[in-house]
């Protein structure tokens, strides 16, 4: 993955992401069953997580959109956590 293969998005554009889009966000918080990410523009989103991510609070990660029903449900996969360590998050916003 090259440095230019992802998007820097703000909160407004988050809802417009298409399947396959990759964006950068920071891990804001990790709790059992959920992960909160912070977009570069400052927006915070909390996702249900079925696995404990291989990430730490404050780390910058890349996320790929797996699904977007455009009614508030976005499924993300963390792709910036290293090879073979992708995690899927069910983000309902």
């Amino acid at each position: 993955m090259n440095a230019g293969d992802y998007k820097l998005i703000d909160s407004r554009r988050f809802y417009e992401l298409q399947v396959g889009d990759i964006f950068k966000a920071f891990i804001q918080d990790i709790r059992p069953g959920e992960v909160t990410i912070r977009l570069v523009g400052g927006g915070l989103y909390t996702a249900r997580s079925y696995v404990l991510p291989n990430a730490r609070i404050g780390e910058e990660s890349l996320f790929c959109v797996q699904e977007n029903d455009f009614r508030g449900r976005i499924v993300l996969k963390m792709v910036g956590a290293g090879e073979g360590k992708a995690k899927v998050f069910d983000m309902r916003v």
Side-chain angles (χ1 to χ4, degrees):
M1 184 172 305
N2 298 320
D5 290 345
Y6 62 87
K7 298 179 179 188
L8 297 176
I9 61 169
D10 58 24
S11 298
R12 190 181 84 249
R13 292 209 47 235
F14 183 75
Y15 297 103
E16 301 169 4
L17 290 170
Q18 302 291 318
V19 171
D21 282 349
I22 296 173
F23 66 94
K24 185 191 304 187
F26 295 89
I27 304 295
Q28 184 72 25
D29 195 16
I30 300 172
R31 296 175 185 240
E34 67 182 34
V35 174
T36 301
I37 62 171
R38 180 174 43 89
L39 302 179
V40 174
L44 292 175
Y45 297 95
T46 299
R48 281 188 287 177
S49 177
Y50 301 105
V51 294
L52 188 61
N54 185 18
R56 293 197 168 120
I57 293 172
E59 283 185 337
E60 189 174 70
S61 296
L62 294 177
F63 295 87
C64 180
V65 177
Q66 299 295 290
E67 297 176 36
N68 185 351
D69 68 5
F70 299 101
R71 293 186 306 248
R73 180 176 181 264
I74 300 174
V75 177
L76 304 175
K77 179 170 73 172
M78 183 186 289
V79 295
E83 292 299 317
K85 296 185 180 182
K87 306 295 182 190
V88 176
F89 303 100
D90 185 355
M91 171 104 29
R92 294 182 188 268
V93 294

